[in-house]
Structure formats: C-alpha cells, structure tokens
Amino acid sequence: MASPNGAGDDFETSLLSFEKLDRASPDLWPEQLPGVAEFAASCKNPITNSPPKWMAELESEDIEMLKELGSLTTANLMEKVKGLQNLAYQLGLEESREMTRGKFLNILERPKK
C-alpha cells in the first residue's frame, strides 16, 4: 500500500522552480517606496557626527515645532490638523475672491501688442 503522502510529495516536487533570479537588477526589483533604501543605509551606521540630510536644511524654529508636534496627544494633533485644513480652506476662499476681483478690474489681462 502506498503512503498517503506519496502523491502529495510528487505534486509538491512538480511545483518547485529552480530558476535563478538576479535580485541585483533595479529593473526586475524596483524600489517600492522611493527613499527607503537610502534611509535604511543611513541607519546602518548610527555613529555619525553629521545630522541626517533632511535635517540639514531645518532651522531651530523648525526643530522646535517638530518637538512640539511630537509631544502632542493624538486628539491634540488631530485638532491641529483640522485647524490647518480650515486655514487652507479660508486661504483658498480668499484667493478665489481676489482672483475674481482681479478679473473684474482687468488687471490679469495680458497687454495687447
């Protein structure tokens, strides 16, 4: 009598692939999230005296704001985001009014040659 796993082993063996894939090719294995490989490489050597590239352009005010935002609770952070969304909406309305005003005053019209 044949073992019950005999037929299953043959089936699994038939599914094996012995193809060799070259994982070094960027065309075959593109980076799914741009910048992740660069970030991972920068984290491999944690003992560096220079700040990360993205922090080089930050001013002290920017760093203080990052610290402030990082210390907020989830609810406070959501409130801050909603405030920024409202501010962006209000600026959009104001810009729309000013563009309409400029159109009626003909200040946006190109000079005729």
Side-chain angles (χ1 to χ4, degrees):
M1 179 170 173
S3 81
N5 292 338
D9 289 341
D10 290 340
F11 178 70
E12 287 179 17
T13 305
S14 71
L15 294 176
L16 290 177
S17 172
F18 298 104
E19 181 180 1
K20 301 290 184 207
L21 298 177
D22 179 18
R23 292 187 179 269
S25 171
D27 294 331
L28 292 175
W29 305 96
E31 191 174 13
Q32 291 184 355
L33 298 172
V36 171
E38 183 180 317
F39 176 74
S42 71
C43 290
K44 285 181 182 176
N45 188 4
I47 304 171
T48 58
N49 293 335
S50 62
K53 191 189 310 182
W54 62 269
M55 277 191 76
E57 298 175 6
L58 295 180
E59 297 176 3
S60 60
E61 293 174 3
D62 299 328
I63 294 172
E64 288 300 317
M65 181 174 285
L66 283 173
K67 288 178 182 176
E68 177 189 330
L69 292 173
S71 67
L72 294 176
T73 64
T74 304
N76 290 347
L77 189 59
M78 291 301 294
E79 187 176 318
K80 187 84 164 174
V81 168
K82 286 180 184 177
L84 290 172
Q85 287 175 331
N86 288 338
L87 179 62
Y89 179 76
Q90 292 300 324
L91 286 173
L93 289 177
E94 187 176 333
E95 181 182 15
S96 176
R97 282 194 296 269
E98 292 298 321
M99 291 297 287
T100 302
R101 183 174 174 227
K103 182 179 174 184
F104 287 136
L105 295 174
N106 291 323
I107 60 173
L108 300 175
E109 198 172 287
R110 292 185 181 179
K112 295 178 182 178
K113 293 182 181 181

